[in-house]
Amino acid sequence: MKRTVYNEDHEAFRKTIREFIAREVVPVFPEWEKQGCVPREFHHKFGALGISGFDIPEEYGGAGEVSYRYNAIITEEVFAAGVNFGNWNMSTGIILPYLLDLANEEQRRRWLPGIAAGDQLAIAMTEPGAGSDLAGIRTSARREGEYYVLNGAKTFISNSSVATLMIVVCRTSAPTADDRRTGLTLLVMDTSSEGFQVHRRLEKIGLKTSDTCEISFTDVKIPVENLLGEEGQAFGYLGRNLPRERLGLAVQTCAQAAAAIDFAREYVRQREIFGKSVASFQNTKFVLAECATEQAAAQALVDKAVELEDAGELTPADAAMAKVFCTEMAGRVIDKCLQLHGGYGYVLEYPIARLYADTRISRIVGGTSEVMKTIIAKSMGL
């Protein structure tokens, strides 16, 4: 089905990204998977290409305000090539907007040029006893003169071993009986700070190039000028970027499903059974037709959501609809495409196997499918 969301400029950018991936990523991707992350120094190649500076004003070395379509194109090309960029999209698409929205002028001068050049960001929210319930965060920071002194531990923190800056969600005052959400604050920490430690990298079933670690803070001194926004107001800030995060997951899973269909189509054309290509059997044709139709329906929803994001009109319910529909669709489609590969679909040297493992987390991260349905129902007045 013809898509109308992109113009000639977008397609020229797509060609540049496709060539970059083929030249700079595909040859080294197996090494990234073995080491469990995309090397810090490699991110500066992204910066040189300009894709780390989306929405960063030109005066700080960025590309200025950029349509979300360009983020979507990068995501589509990454999965079409059977690779991924680790936590690139989290750094630039999810965490960077916090700095763009909340940083003061002095902070923008200090932080944004490095990010535009490829320095990576992380955000530390989840704790062993506080996942979706952010009000249960126990990591604390007390004010001592010109510093906040930070203590606590976090888990499931993506990008933590390669990030230069980390936004830490911590408690600077106790919650009240009426409002458990009060007292949470955002502090920006330089990851070279004394007392900050990255512990074990968690072994996940998928997303092998996305480093996800346990971390801790022991009397880490953070200058007061690294306070992001107002003290005690973090809970309100954290909800601002959730629609864009969920849109990103919808774009990602739609691209993963499209890639899975392409991989399966090529495989069944080449694979023979009973003296005939697997593609010649009616069941194969029907399965791939079903997959293509499901993916096309999801793609139409995603493209509309991207247009709404660019127009500043994407609502939390819109983003929730896109996320739950696309992530659930991708799970079904990729499973069917793996089945068409037979036993080879379970072998990691085939990209369909990596897609199968990588996509599963999308129904959990950024808010579970059940949470998305709750948001949609609430928007319906239920």
Side-chain angles (χ1 to χ4, degrees):
M1 186 175 293
K2 182 179 179 179
R3 299 170 67 189
T4 59
V5 71
Y6 298 126
N7 60 30
E8 291 182 2
D9 290 340
H10 298 133
E11 295 304 332
F13 177 76
R14 182 188 299 279
K15 183 175 183 293
T16 298
I17 292 298
R18 184 175 297 168
E19 292 172 350
F20 174 81
I21 292 171
R23 182 179 66 252
E24 302 286 353
V25 181
V26 172
V28 297
F29 185 69
E31 297 173 22
W32 292 359
E33 287 196 303
K34 289 178 182 177
Q35 63 191 33
C37 68
V38 178
R40 179 180 288 185
E41 61 273 14
F42 192 86
H43 286 288
H44 291 93
K45 292 188 178 182
F46 302 160
L49 197 62
I51 64 176
S52 292
F54 287 172
D55 296 329
I56 294 178
E58 293 181 13
E59 62 190 287
Y60 305 112
E65 191 170 335
V66 174
S67 164
Y68 192 80
R69 288 167 170 83
Y70 290 97
N71 293 72
I73 288 168
I74 294 170
T75 299
E76 291 168 4
E77 290 304 311
V78 163
F79 290 108
V83 299
N84 65 64
F85 281 177
N87 295 307
W88 165 82
N89 191 50
M90 172 174 288
S91 178
T92 61
I94 298 172
I95 305 174
L96 174 58
Y98 287 110
L99 298 184
L100 295 174
D101 291 345
L102 299 172
N104 59 40
E105 181 57 32
E106 186 275 332
Q107 291 171 332
R108 289 162 78 90
R109 288 198 303 269
R110 269 196 292 141
W111 296 329
L112 295 185
I115 298 166
D119 287 352
Q120 290 291 286
L121 299 168
I123 188 164
M125 288 191 280
T126 304
E127 297 183 2
S132 298
D133 181 19
L134 293 178
I137 282 176
R138 300 180 65 181
T139 295
S140 64
R142 66 181 186 276
R143 177 76 179 267
E144 290 189 0
E146 297 304 308
Y147 294 93
Y148 286 98
V149 180
L150 182 68
N151 284 280
K154 303 280 186 178
T155 191
F156 300 129
I157 308 304
S158 298
N159 235 24
S160 51
S161 69
V162 297
T164 302
L165 295 174
M166 180 177 292
I167 300 176
V168 182
V169 186
C170 58
R171 186 165 287 288
T172 50
S173 63
T176 65
D178 297 332
D179 188 0
R180 294 177 59 242
R181 302 173 176 181
T182 192
L184 294 175
T185 296
L186 301 181
L187 298 177
V188 179
M189 181 196 71
D190 186 317
T191 56
S192 65
S193 299
E194 185 178 353
F196 169 65
Q197 188 171 0
V198 177
H199 298 282
R200 70 187 181 106
R201 182 175 289 155
L202 301 175
E203 292 293 327
K204 308 183 299 296
I205 64 173
L207 296 175
K208 298 296 186 180
T209 62
S210 168
D211 66 306
T212 306
C213 305
E214 296 173 338
I215 62 175
S216 67
F217 315 96
T218 304
D219 291 332
V220 177
K221 290 185 175 181
I222 300 179
V224 293
E225 56 264 29
N226 283 21
L227 170 66
L228 189 62
E230 296 182 21
E231 188 174 298
Q233 301 301 309
F235 196 93
Y237 299 147
L238 293 172
R240 292 183 182 181
N241 292 330
L242 286 176
R244 185 162 180 170
E245 178 179 2
R246 290 162 181 165
L247 171 60
L249 288 161
V251 170
Q252 173 181 310
T253 49
C254 212
Q256 288 172 317
I261 294 168
D262 285 342
F263 295 145
R265 182 173 54 190
E266 290 306 308
Y267 180 82
V268 298
R269 283 173 172 168
Q270 298 170 15
R271 179 69 171 170
E272 289 191 358
I273 186 170
F274 306 129
K276 299 169 61 177
S277 73
V278 175
S280 68
F281 289 90
Q282 186 182 66
N283 179 70
T284 303
K285 297 174 183 178
F286 280 10
V287 168
L288 285 176
E290 291 167 1
C291 289
T293 303
E294 280 206 74
Q295 196 278 335
Q299 192 68 71
L301 184 62
V302 165
D303 288 353
K304 181 60 178 179
V306 168
E307 291 176 348
L308 291 173
E309 169 66 14
D310 274 356
E313 298 175 359
L314 185 71
T315 68
D318 293 335
M321 288 180 184
K323 180 185 185 294
V324 71
F325 190 85
C326 294
T327 56
E328 295 288 343
M329 175 278 300
R332 293 190 300 270
V333 165
I334 294 171
D335 184 78
K336 291 178 182 179
C337 289
L338 186 150
Q339 187 73 16
L340 290 175
H341 281 72
Y344 288 106
Y346 206 66
V347 178
L348 283 173
E349 70 181 78
Y350 284 79
I352 191 68
R354 295 198 299 270
L355 278 177
Y356 184 81
D358 289 351
T359 306
R360 184 59 184 89
I361 190 64
S362 65
R363 284 175 271 169
I364 300 171
V365 70
T368 64
S369 293
E370 292 74 20
V371 170
M372 296 304 99
K373 294 172 186 176
T374 300
I375 293 169
I376 296 165
K378 185 176 180 180
S379 76
M380 298 169 65
L382 300 174

